[in-house]
Amino acid sequence: MQELVTDGWKPDSSLALPLHIQISNYIQAKIRSGAWPAGMRLAAQRDLARQLGVNRSTLVSALGQLTALGLIEGRRGGGTRVALSNDAHSNRAGNWNDYVEEGIHYPNLPTIQAINRLEFTKGLIRLGTGELSPELLPNETMKSILADLSRQSLPLSYEEPLGSLQLRTAISKELSNIGIHAAPSSILILSGALQGLQLIGQGLLPRGSTLLLEKPSYLYSIHSFQSVGVKLYGLPMDSEGLMTQGIEAEVHRTKASLLYTIPTYHNPTGILMTEERRHLLMNTTRALGLPILEDGAYQDLWLDNPPPPSLKAMDREGRVLHLGTLSKTVSPGLRIGWAVGPEPVIRRLADIKMQSDYGSSSLSQLLAAKWLEEGYHARHCEVLRMELRRRRDAVLDMLSTHFGHLASWNRPTGGFYIWLSLNKPLPLTKLFKAALEVGLLLNTGDLYNRSDARHLRLSYAYASLTELEIGIKRLAELVSSF
Amino acid sequence: MQELVTDGWKPDSSLALPLHIQISNYIQAKIRSGAWPAGMRLAAQRDLARQLGVNRSTLVSALGQLTALGLIEGRRGGGTRVALSNDAHSNRAGNWNDYVEEGIHYPNLPTIQAINRLEFTKGLIRLGTGELSPELLPNETMKSILADLSRQSLPLSYEEPLGSLQLRTAISKELSNIGIHAAPSSILILSGALQGLQLIGQGLLPRGSTLLLEKPSYLYSIHSFQSVGVKLYGLPMDSEGLMTQGIEAEVHRTKASLLYTIPTYHNPTGILMTEERRHLLMNTTRALGLPILEDGAYQDLWLDNPPPPSLKAMDREGRVLHLGTLSKTVSPGLRIGWAVGPEPVIRRLADIKMQSDYGSSSLSQLLAAKWLEEGYHARHCEVLRMELRRRRDAVLDMLSTHFGHLASWNRPTGGFYIWLSLNKPLPLTKLFKAALEVGLLLNTGDLYNRSDARHLRLSYAYASLTELEIGIKRLAELVSSF
């Protein structure tokens, strides 16, 4: 694991103390305090110099001093690490460096780790980010709700295992508008829908079981299921959604125990599953007794027409577990999502949630309840749809201008994403790095299907239209040059 | 798994429709909507009747109708379940009932599940609850901070992987007051300290490794480590804390990879590890290269004198990972805790946290940052200590009055807990149930050490002094009668 200097410290050239001494002092303090433990690898000199904003030669003289002090040492195979035995650390000190590569949970994909970190780097144009631009978030409304809350008694204690009853009641009412009839006792509040995947992976599926899903899928970019030993088996899609023909054979072959789908504005392809396909999927899986996990994150974000009924709305057997969230429409920072399903399943997930984090923020839950109860959500979604429609249309125009000869793409009818299909395969990791060099942060197709080499997930939700125009043009130049 | 009717619905005797028909209709709707899936077990008739507030005979006639409709059926071995094959459900429907007993994560202990649920039952006196009484929480101050926040721009987007820099900076400053010097880059924001245990279990320890800890310990009451295949090995304590003599032999015998300790106001015993013992522990483990996980949840809650330096404050090697939280001093509902440790470890935990819930509530983080930055925390803790001191002294008096001939106990110098040591062993599960019948919710010793049969964890932090007086008297009568 390459370690970066993450706290943004840089030496100060206005000080009398030479830069290399400042750097040496800084690193000494890190090592002597134990923040950088024995054996920790340092980043490559080039990367370190860039992060510290100094010449390579300045860095080299700082590292020379640290080596002379016995605090760092060269590694076999190149690179530098904190010395295993030095006056600050006994060489028998617990070696955390081994531990960070242990543990059953897989690390994020390197590209995802880079994206998570780089999203907080200023100046990059984020062409694939799956969240709303800050300017599209309802800051003023939230401030006025907070002002209201500051005049009432606050829920500062723990909430019950399923989450705040007030919020579950509000969600129950909201869901009934889209045909899902679920009592508050069938709803579990989550810290975002992602937590639902984590809890289901840990709480419902035996190690070694198989999960069917669309390919590509957002689920391939995270490890909620693989980390607990669940195998993923991807099924093809067409323009009407997940293709159902292969399901029966795969269920028999793999003994699959669950099917995960994003029927509405699929991530990353933007595809909307047609009503006919939904019926077919429900019938096929009913005959097989196959439970479904429906990810409804983009449900409210229709742009042209409301989507067909959700799978949960078509379910009378308690066979569908449905995930929803406020992250894609209102505020990712609130961390409020929900799972809707049969009561025994909801109860089991709630028990594991209690063991994971003892419930979600009561303040976020209260704010979310007010947001839904007082009708802000419906009004906000209307405005949001208008804005996203404008952005989608503009980006489709930009693509016609710059990518007409390089790629093809879908016209999404909701959600955030355009799935750009390049005319020829490209080395996507190289493209990601090259894009970064010209200030573009990409979500490459291999995140959603390991073997993909010709797709990019574009999002019209995050970057401004000006940024998108610059970014798409620059991206087209880059792709042409490959 | 026995299923309860959790949404508090009861038939309404003021309606013309007979009660048994109302009940039958209610359950039909649950089954036909799939909220109660095929095969789900119903609670015992006695429990169901009590929850619904009806006579057993009323319930029996409702169940008779449902049986006639083919919606429920008797189970071999007794009890009732939703029929496996009925007109609402195909008998091949995915059987979620099997799934809720699968999954790698253990369910909570039955007593803990009962406690989690019963804590939201009105009228029970909670004698062992490990949280502050709502009246001790800083409601007015939080309202005024919220009012302030409602006048500034809100952080509605995702926070960076380590959590809000503003909050990490505030925590860094706060920690320096107790001798822990940690840059914001060595701090990870958690949704409560419990989440830290979960992340460490998943992210740092290989399956099959061993963790040393005090016995009894709070850690025995949760499954963060056992669920990922980590074995716990308990070491004895005396009045000065964890006894260090056995550590070396156990490390060699078990190849233990980590030691978990609550040195300051231990949960459940209230013991404060002395400064001498802390040095001994640090020296013993240093020689063995054994990393330490220090749970500092009760750190701020000293009542007589400030505690000795935390283990993290004594650590110069980066061998101690320290957990802190606002849950025990300010607000459990905020769900804000933190881990402090070597940067590579913090980075690894942050990556798994991103995969678990994509960060903690940004609103909670902002509120917590303001709380610390503006000095509210220090002022609040002073008032809180005074109040807890008063409660502790009163409860010690009550124990002298009612338990002098029945038990012995410690005089805690901080935290929430008195560890009541009964003069003779008792069947604790029976005691728990009998206490519930007389309106008392207990935390029995077996939660913290499976083989314990003579301890109760009492808390002077939650119930009111009036409730505590009634409850302790009633408990003494109950214990005498066993």
Side-chain angles (χ1 to χ4, degrees):
Chain A
M1 193 163 73
Q2 291 266 315
E3 292 308 320
L4 304 174
V5 178
T6 50
D7 50 5
W9 179 87
K10 285 184 167 52
D12 181 349
S13 56
S14 72
L15 300 179
L17 202 64
L19 294 181
H20 68 275
I21 307 271
Q22 291 184 45
I23 294 172
S24 163
N25 289 350
Y26 171 81
I27 295 181
Q28 277 192 55
K30 287 281 187 194
I31 295 175
R32 292 193 194 276
S33 70
W36 291 11
M40 189 189 98
R41 282 190 243 167
L42 269 57
Q45 291 188 3
R46 190 188 44 199
D47 293 336
L48 263 181
R50 196 185 51 209
Q51 285 177 60
L52 294 167
V54 297
N55 290 329
R56 184 92 171 251
S57 61
T58 306
L59 179 71
V60 165
S61 73
L63 295 179
Q65 288 153 14
L66 293 163
T67 306
L69 287 168
L71 290 174
I72 63 172
E73 62 192 15
R75 287 168 54 222
R76 245 185 309 182
T80 312
R81 66 177 175 192
V82 177
L84 281 182
S85 178
N86 60 57
D87 67 341
H89 301 161
S90 124
N91 64 353
R92 304 201 56 196
N95 194 339
W96 283 109
N97 300 292
D98 296 342
Y99 287 29
V100 298
E101 287 163 19
E102 299 284 357
I104 62 161
H105 209 297
Y106 295 0
N108 256 317
L109 298 173
T111 307
I112 293 278
Q113 289 195 29
I115 290 175
N116 286 341
R117 211 166 41 231
L118 290 165
E119 283 185 343
F120 294 89
T121 306
K122 298 224 184 304
L124 283 179
I125 297 180
R126 294 159 59 173
L127 287 181
T129 295
E131 61 182 274
L132 290 176
S133 165
E135 81 204 34
L136 299 179
L137 302 179
N139 215 296
E140 291 310 312
T141 310
M142 287 297 174
K143 283 158 71 171
S144 97
I145 298 179
L146 271 195
D148 286 349
L149 294 185
S150 72
R151 287 184 284 271
Q152 67 160 69
S153 174
L154 297 173
L156 296 176
S157 297
Y158 292 112
E159 298 284 351
E160 40 185 315
L162 295 182
S164 141
L165 178 60
Q166 185 184 357
L167 177 55
R168 286 184 288 125
T169 305
I171 290 169
S172 169
K173 218 177 131 204
E174 193 68 28
L175 287 173
S176 72
N177 297 336
I178 57 163
I180 297 177
H181 300 287
S185 54
S186 290
I187 298 173
L188 170 66
I189 304 302
L190 301 166
S191 301
L194 175 64
Q195 188 181 45
L197 302 177
Q198 189 84 355
L199 296 176
I200 292 162
Q202 285 175 25
L204 294 183
L205 300 180
R207 187 167 281 277
S209 57
T210 301
L211 180 145
L212 302 182
L213 75 170
E214 288 123 356
K215 188 169 195 166
S217 174
Y218 161 69
L219 204 61
Y220 280 104
S221 71
I222 56 175
H223 290 139
S224 311
F225 290 101
Q226 290 104 314
S227 281
V228 289
V230 172
K231 290 187 285 287
L232 304 190
Y233 188 84
L235 296 164
M237 302 178 76
D238 63 16
S239 63
E240 301 189 14
L242 178 68
M243 292 168 77
T244 56
Q245 293 87 330
I247 294 179
E248 184 172 353
E250 284 313 320
V251 165
H252 290 135
R253 195 178 66 82
T254 63
K255 312 270 175 249
S257 47
L258 192 61
L259 183 141
Y260 170 86
T261 177
I262 312 171
T264 307
Y265 317 124
H266 179 259
N267 180 358
T269 66
I271 291 171
L272 174 67
M273 193 186 288
T274 59
E275 184 157 1
E276 195 186 339
R277 186 64 59 84
R278 288 171 195 239
H279 283 290
L280 202 53
L281 178 61
M282 287 301 282
N283 291 338
T284 306
T285 53
R286 182 181 301 114
L288 295 162
L290 185 66
I292 293 178
L293 176 55
E294 177 183 40
D295 190 334
Y298 301 90
Q299 185 84 36
D300 287 340
L301 292 167
W302 52 270
L303 299 182
D304 301 321
N305 298 294
S310 86
L311 301 176
K312 184 67 196 162
M314 299 162 73
D315 173 35
R316 293 286 169 276
E317 305 164 283
R319 200 160 47 81
V320 178
L321 191 57
H322 177 91
L323 295 176
T325 179
L326 291 185
S327 298
K328 299 299 178 183
T329 46
V330 186
S331 161
L334 278 187
R335 309 308 307 126
I336 294 293
W338 50 87
V340 183
E343 291 182 16
V345 176
I346 290 300
R347 204 89 48 84
R348 164 76 169 140
L349 296 177
D351 183 52
I352 303 173
K353 178 157 166 71
M354 286 298 274
Q355 298 186 60
S356 304
D357 65 7
Y358 238 93
S360 296
S361 161
S362 55
L363 197 62
S364 281
Q365 292 191 64
L366 178 59
L367 197 70
K370 294 278 178 195
W371 170 262
L372 294 173
E373 278 169 1
E374 295 179 12
Y376 292 116
H377 189 65
R379 289 195 293 279
H380 167 72
C381 283
E382 249 177 70
V383 177
L384 185 58
R385 278 181 207 120
M386 214 154 54
E387 182 58 28
L388 286 175
R389 210 176 293 137
R390 196 171 71 85
R391 285 169 159 260
R392 173 198 61 185
D393 294 344
V395 168
L396 288 171
D397 283 349
M398 295 172 198
L399 288 175
S400 300
T401 308
H402 301 292
F403 270 92
H405 57 301
L406 290 170
S408 57
W409 55 88
N410 59 317
R411 181 183 185 281
T413 58
F416 294 167
Y417 307 118
I418 296 173
W419 189 232
L420 194 69
S421 182
L422 302 170
N423 290 346
K424 60 170 193 182
L426 286 185
L428 293 182
T429 309
K430 265 178 88 175
L431 182 66
F432 177 83
K433 288 183 182 157
L436 212 49
E437 296 290 324
V438 296
L440 304 180
L441 189 57
L442 299 183
N443 286 56
T444 47
D446 52 344
L447 297 177
Y448 312 104
N449 171 2
R450 289 306 135 81
S451 62
D452 185 86
R454 51 192 295 172
H455 291 90
L456 297 173
R457 184 184 84 174
L458 298 183
S459 161
Y460 44 85
Y462 191 82
S464 70
L465 283 180
T466 314
E467 287 179 317
L468 284 164
E469 176 81 61
I470 297 169
I472 286 173
K473 181 161 182 288
R474 205 178 281 170
L475 179 64
E477 288 159 10
L478 188 65
V479 167
S480 304
S481 77
F482 255 72
Chain B
M1 195 162 72
Q2 292 266 316
E3 292 309 321
L4 303 173
V5 177
T6 52
D7 49 5
W9 178 88
K10 284 183 170 49
D12 181 348
S13 57
S14 71
L15 299 180
L17 203 62
L19 295 181
H20 68 274
I21 307 271
Q22 291 184 44
I23 294 171
S24 163
N25 288 350
Y26 172 80
I27 295 181
Q28 278 192 53
K30 287 282 187 191
I31 296 175
R32 292 194 194 277
S33 71
W36 291 10
M40 189 189 97
R41 283 191 243 166
L42 268 57
Q45 290 189 2
R46 192 188 43 203
D47 294 336
L48 263 181
R50 198 185 50 214
Q51 285 178 60
L52 294 168
V54 298
N55 290 330
R56 184 92 170 253
S57 62
T58 306
L59 178 70
V60 166
S61 74
L63 296 179
Q65 288 155 14
L66 293 163
T67 308
L69 288 167
L71 290 174
I72 63 173
E73 62 192 14
R75 287 167 56 223
R76 246 186 307 183
T80 311
R81 66 178 177 194
V82 176
L84 281 181
S85 177
N86 60 57
D87 68 340
H89 302 161
S90 123
N91 65 352
R92 304 202 57 198
N95 193 341
W96 283 109
N97 301 292
D98 295 342
Y99 287 30
V100 297
E101 289 164 17
E102 299 282 0
I104 62 159
H105 209 298
Y106 294 179
N108 257 316
L109 298 172
T111 308
I112 293 277
Q113 289 195 28
I115 291 175
N116 286 343
R117 208 165 45 228
L118 290 165
E119 284 184 342
F120 294 89
T121 307
K122 297 224 186 305
L124 283 179
I125 297 180
R126 295 159 59 171
L127 287 181
T129 295
E131 60 182 274
L132 290 175
S133 165
E135 80 203 35
L136 300 179
L137 303 179
N139 215 295
E140 291 309 312
T141 310
M142 287 297 174
K143 284 158 70 172
S144 98
I145 298 179
L146 272 194
D148 286 350
L149 295 185
S150 72
R151 288 185 283 272
Q152 67 160 71
S153 174
L154 297 173
L156 296 176
S157 296
Y158 292 112
E159 297 285 350
E160 39 184 319
L162 296 182
S164 141
L165 179 59
Q166 185 184 359
L167 177 55
R168 287 184 288 125
T169 305
I171 290 170
S172 169
K173 218 177 131 203
E174 193 68 26
L175 288 172
S176 71
N177 296 335
I178 56 164
I180 297 177
H181 300 288
S185 54
S186 290
I187 298 173
L188 169 67
I189 304 302
L190 301 166
S191 300
L194 175 65
Q195 189 181 44
L197 301 177
Q198 189 84 356
L199 297 175
I200 292 161
Q202 286 176 22
L204 294 183
L205 300 179
R207 188 166 280 276
S209 57
T210 300
L211 180 145
L212 302 182
L213 74 168
E214 289 124 355
K215 189 171 194 166
S217 174
Y218 161 68
L219 204 61
Y220 280 104
S221 72
I222 56 175
H223 291 138
S224 311
F225 291 101
Q226 290 104 314
S227 282
V228 289
V230 172
K231 288 186 286 288
L232 304 189
Y233 188 84
L235 296 165
M237 303 177 77
D238 62 16
S239 63
E240 301 189 13
L242 178 69
M243 294 168 75
T244 55
Q245 291 87 332
I247 294 179
E248 185 172 352
E250 284 314 321
V251 165
H252 290 133
R253 195 178 66 81
T254 63
K255 313 266 176 256
S257 47
L258 191 61
L259 182 142
Y260 170 86
T261 177
I262 313 170
T264 307
Y265 317 125
H266 179 259
N267 180 358
T269 66
I271 292 171
L272 174 67
M273 192 185 287
T274 59
E275 184 156 1
E276 195 187 339
R277 186 65 58 84
R278 289 171 194 238
H279 283 290
L280 202 54
L281 178 62
M282 288 301 282
N283 290 337
T284 307
T285 52
R286 181 180 303 113
L288 295 162
L290 185 66
I292 293 178
L293 176 56
E294 177 184 41
D295 190 334
Y298 301 90
Q299 184 86 35
D300 287 342
L301 292 167
W302 53 271
L303 299 182
D304 302 321
N305 298 294
S310 86
L311 301 176
K312 185 67 195 163
M314 300 161 71
D315 173 36
R316 293 287 169 276
E317 303 164 285
R319 200 159 47 81
V320 178
L321 192 57
H322 176 92
L323 295 176
T325 178
L326 291 184
S327 297
K328 299 299 178 183
T329 46
V330 185
S331 162
L334 279 186
R335 310 307 307 122
I336 293 293
W338 50 88
V340 182
E343 291 181 17
V345 176
I346 291 300
R347 204 90 48 84
R348 165 75 168 140
L349 296 176
D351 182 52
I352 302 174
K353 179 160 165 67
M354 287 298 275
Q355 299 185 59
S356 302
D357 64 9
Y358 238 94
S360 297
S361 160
S362 56
L363 198 61
S364 280
Q365 292 190 66
L366 179 59
L367 198 68
K370 293 279 179 195
W371 170 261
L372 294 173
E373 278 170 1
E374 296 180 11
Y376 292 116
H377 189 66
R379 288 196 294 278
H380 167 73
C381 283
E382 251 177 68
V383 177
L384 185 58
R385 278 181 207 121
M386 214 155 54
E387 182 57 29
L388 286 175
R389 210 176 293 136
R390 198 172 71 86
R391 286 170 158 259
R392 174 198 61 183
D393 294 345
V395 169
L396 288 172
D397 283 348
M398 294 171 198
L399 288 175
S400 299
T401 307
H402 301 292
F403 269 91
H405 57 300
L406 290 170
S408 57
W409 55 88
N410 60 317
R411 180 182 186 282
T413 59
F416 293 167
Y417 307 118
I418 296 173
W419 188 233
L420 195 69
S421 182
L422 302 170
N423 290 344
K424 57 169 197 184
L426 286 185
L428 293 181
T429 309
K430 264 178 88 175
L431 182 67
F432 177 83
K433 286 184 182 156
L436 213 49
E437 295 290 322
V438 297
L440 305 180
L441 189 57
L442 300 183
N443 286 58
T444 48
D446 52 343
L447 297 177
Y448 311 103
N449 171 1
R450 287 307 136 82
S451 61
D452 185 85
R454 52 192 295 170
H455 291 92
L456 297 174
R457 183 184 86 174
L458 298 183
S459 160
Y460 43 84
Y462 190 82
S464 69
L465 283 180
T466 315
E467 288 179 318
L468 285 164
E469 175 82 61
I470 298 169
I472 286 174
K473 182 160 180 290
R474 205 177 282 171
L475 179 63
E477 289 161 6
L478 188 66
V479 167
S480 305
S481 76
F482 255 71

